Amino acid sequence: QVQLVESGGGLVQPGGSLRLTCVASGSNKLYTMGWYRQTPRIQREPVAAITEDGSADYANAVKGRFTLSRDNAKNTIYLQMNDLKPEDTGVYYCNAFGSPPPVPAELDYWGQGTQVTVSS
């Protein structure tokens, strides 16, 4: 049973930084991993994703401010978030694929989420 555990959320002022961590356990190999967020106005939307070989992609809203990295030996991904804005507020969910695409539902893993609040 794969489990994803997120940490690093919190309250930060606009312009500040946070680093989110997602640790996966219970799997020998995971493929693409990434982060989604759910805000009061928008259903869950993709933020960033990284392949098993380290190629990262970002939503336009976070390009240049967020950096996603990965440590395959630790089954862990890190999302460094800089220059945070109030519109970045939301619950951030870690996601991981247990197979290459197309990914069946039973191999599409989600964490419980961590709250990020950007406010003065």
Side-chain angles (χ1 to χ4, degrees):
Q1 184 76 9
V2 174
Q3 286 191 318
L4 305 179
V5 178
E6 303 107 331
S7 63
L11 172 64
V12 64
Q13 292 186 343
S17 298
L18 284 174
R19 188 194 197 206
L20 303 185
T21 300
C22 172
V23 181
S25 61
S27 173
N28 290 329
K29 182 171 177 63
L30 293 171
Y31 294 81
T32 297
M33 298 180 70
W35 293 91
Y36 285 68
R37 67 186 179 191
Q38 187 162 337
T39 69
R41 292 192 305 156
I42 302 175
Q43 292 280 342
R44 200 172 294 190
E45 61 175 352
V47 174
I50 188 165
T51 62
E52 59 269 32
D53 62 1
S55 177
D57 195 18
Y58 301 90
N60 286 335
V62 307
K63 280 181 181 176
R65 300 188 296 123
F66 291 10
T67 302
L68 181 58
S69 59
R70 179 171 182 157
D71 185 337
N72 287 331
K74 296 181 179 179
N75 267 352
T76 299
I77 59 172
Y78 308 94
L79 183 67
Q80 179 65 43
M81 306 187 294
N82 297 330
D83 189 23
L84 282 160
K85 305 175 187 298
E87 52 264 40
D88 294 317
T89 294
V91 179
Y92 283 68
Y93 295 91
C94 182
N95 173 250
F97 291 161
S99 78
V103 182
E106 63 269 24
L107 297 182
D108 186 7
Y109 307 116
W110 292 90
Q112 293 298 308
T114 185
Q115 177 70 44
V116 171
T117 302
V118 184
S119 176
S120 55

